[in-house]
Amino acid sequence: MSKNLKEVLFSNKVYANNFNKKRNLKAPPIKKFAILTCMDARLDPAKFAGLSEGDAHVIRNAGGRVSDDVIRSLLISYKLLGTKEWLIIHHTDCGMEKFSNSDIDKIFNIDSKNKIDWLTFKNNEKSILQDIFILKNHPLVPKSIHIYGYIYDCKTGNLIEVEESAKV
Amino acid sequence: MSKNLKEVLFSNKVYANNFNKKRNLKAPPIKKFAILTCMDARLDPAKFAGLSEGDAHVIRNAGGRVSDDVIRSLLISYKLLGTKEWLIIHHTDCGMEKFSNSDIDKIFNIDSKNKIDWLTFKNNEKSILQDIFILKNHPLVPKSIHIYGYIYDCKTGNLIEVEESAKV
């Protein structure tokens, strides 16, 4: 067993020993909202957004981008589990902003036939607006869902509103 | 501005006021591992696995399933950002275990031509083994990556090892 796994299991034992079984939380998020953000190790959405267990869905991938899988998850989030607001949060110093799709294809030695859309982006604000646009125009996403766009600043811990996101 | 958004931004202000700028964390995860788990609101992987900001990538979707987007994220995680171990963590009482793909198609009134693979499953342990199998047999995933399977118990907070996962 690796050192990391030992540490994870030790921490988990402490967590479980202090677990509040009386809360008996159910699957639908208490606060009826979902956060989509990046997998980046520096981000702890529960901490930076003040979430407790049970409050909100948290979806994370490379970049916090709206992929087919994110759409699948958000559709389940609202239709099966009742969320009504979605926060899309990208962040400063994101790896997906530093590479292009073809850079990454080259790193993996992927030929032109087997290209992967790595969902890289050039401009953080635009990438959020694009992601919100995709969601708002998806045929299975109702107009009643509120979608907000923010950028998390890795140097300060602040969430910064993408002002045009309200207009998408 | 909604009540939820006000609360998130208030909590974020407190978080940013206490932010340790001296740590100056970089993108590559300090502990060189990634966790894939479900978006379920009851799960706080940083808390139940003892992670601090900077430690590990966290990828989350409906079910903690290995989708194309998860493969994209994990490939970036290891090749661009140096992770060497991946933990796949599903959980008890998961919505994806209670519905079938055709149940969800019916809820959304989706016809047979436009079906979505919702990545539902019937057996939690088998779903983890299947997900690990997909990763271990992916042409871009090197054999050197260690992949572990666990189930998080929502009633106790415990991580339970899927024993056969080491053999996949």
Side-chain angles (χ1 to χ4, degrees):
Chain A
M1 188 180 286
S2 77
K3 185 171 169 282
N4 279 329
L5 199 54
K6 272 184 201 160
E7 287 176 2
V8 164
L9 295 179
F10 178 78
S11 298
N12 179 249
K13 204 169 250 181
V14 175
Y15 180 79
N17 284 341
N18 293 293
F19 195 82
N20 184 354
K21 292 179 189 172
K22 286 185 191 159
R23 284 195 78 197
N24 194 21
L25 296 167
K26 307 290 179 203
I30 296 165
K31 295 195 169 177
K32 295 184 192 298
F33 76 94
I35 285 181
L36 165 65
T37 193
C38 183
M39 68 179 182
D40 193 288
R42 294 166 290 183
L43 276 55
D44 185 336
K47 279 194 197 155
F48 75 58
L51 305 178
S52 294
E53 290 93 326
D55 280 350
H57 284 146
V58 180
I59 300 164
R60 302 179 66 175
N61 67 12
R65 301 304 313 270
V66 171
S67 61
D68 285 349
D69 192 43
V70 165
I71 292 170
R72 175 185 73 88
S73 298
L74 285 171
L75 290 175
I76 288 165
S77 173
Y78 106 82
K79 193 82 170 181
L80 273 60
L81 294 156
T83 63
K84 296 175 176 188
E85 297 176 287
W86 297 343
L87 268 77
I88 317 295
I89 304 174
H90 294 183
H91 66 96
T92 59
D93 193 40
C94 185
M96 306 315 293
E97 201 178 0
K98 294 177 190 164
F99 295 88
S100 68
N101 279 2
S102 65
D103 288 341
I104 306 180
D105 280 341
K106 273 179 210 153
I107 290 168
F108 278 101
N109 206 13
I110 291 173
D111 60 35
S112 55
K113 279 183 203 161
N114 297 305
K115 275 186 177 175
I116 291 176
D117 185 354
W118 297 98
L119 303 178
T120 58
F121 54 88
K122 291 262 171 248
N123 177 300
N124 219 338
E125 299 215 345
K126 278 188 191 162
S127 72
I128 290 183
L129 299 178
Q130 188 187 338
D131 282 348
I132 294 177
F133 183 86
I134 293 168
L135 290 175
K136 289 207 172 173
N137 289 281
H138 192 282
L140 297 178
V141 174
K143 300 293 172 214
S144 59
I145 302 272
H146 293 278
I147 309 177
Y148 313 103
Y150 281 83
I151 293 173
Y152 175 85
D153 185 335
C154 284
K155 284 206 185 303
T156 66
N158 278 300
L159 286 173
I160 300 147
E161 191 182 358
V162 178
E163 292 201 11
E164 302 91 75
S165 68
K167 301 174 201 156
V168 177
Chain B
M1 189 181 285
S2 76
K3 186 171 169 281
N4 278 328
L5 198 55
K6 272 185 201 162
E7 287 176 3
V8 164
L9 296 177
F10 178 79
S11 297
N12 179 250
K13 202 169 251 181
V14 175
Y15 179 80
N17 284 342
N18 293 294
F19 195 81
N20 183 354
K21 293 179 189 172
K22 285 184 190 159
R23 284 194 78 196
N24 194 21
L25 296 168
K26 306 291 178 201
I30 295 165
K31 295 195 171 179
K32 296 185 191 297
F33 76 94
I35 285 181
L36 164 64
T37 194
C38 184
M39 68 178 180
D40 192 287
R42 293 166 290 183
L43 276 57
D44 186 335
K47 279 195 196 155
F48 74 58
L51 306 177
S52 293
E53 290 94 326
D55 281 348
H57 283 146
V58 181
I59 300 164
R60 301 179 67 174
N61 68 12
R65 302 303 314 270
V66 171
S67 62
D68 286 350
D69 192 43
V70 165
I71 292 170
R72 174 185 74 87
S73 299
L74 285 171
L75 290 175
I76 288 165
S77 174
Y78 106 82
K79 193 82 170 181
L80 273 62
L81 295 156
T83 63
K84 296 175 175 189
E85 297 176 286
W86 298 342
L87 269 76
I88 318 293
I89 304 174
H90 294 184
H91 66 96
T92 58
D93 194 40
C94 185
M96 305 316 290
E97 202 177 0
K98 294 177 192 165
F99 295 89
S100 68
N101 280 2
S102 64
D103 287 341
I104 305 179
D105 280 342
K106 272 179 211 156
I107 290 168
F108 278 101
N109 205 13
I110 292 173
D111 59 34
S112 55
K113 278 183 202 161
N114 297 304
K115 276 185 176 176
I116 291 176
D117 185 354
W118 298 98
L119 302 178
T120 58
F121 54 87
K122 291 261 172 245
N123 178 303
N124 218 339
E125 299 214 345
K126 278 188 190 161
S127 73
I128 290 183
L129 299 177
Q130 187 188 339
D131 282 348
I132 293 177
F133 182 86
I134 293 169
L135 290 174
K136 289 208 171 171
N137 289 282
H138 192 280
L140 297 177
V141 174
K143 299 294 172 214
S144 59
I145 303 272
H146 293 278
I147 309 176
Y148 312 102
Y150 282 83
I151 292 173
Y152 175 84
D153 185 334
C154 284
K155 284 205 186 302
T156 66
N158 278 298
L159 286 173
I160 300 149
E161 192 183 356
V162 178
E163 292 201 12
E164 303 90 75
S165 68
K167 302 174 202 157
V168 176

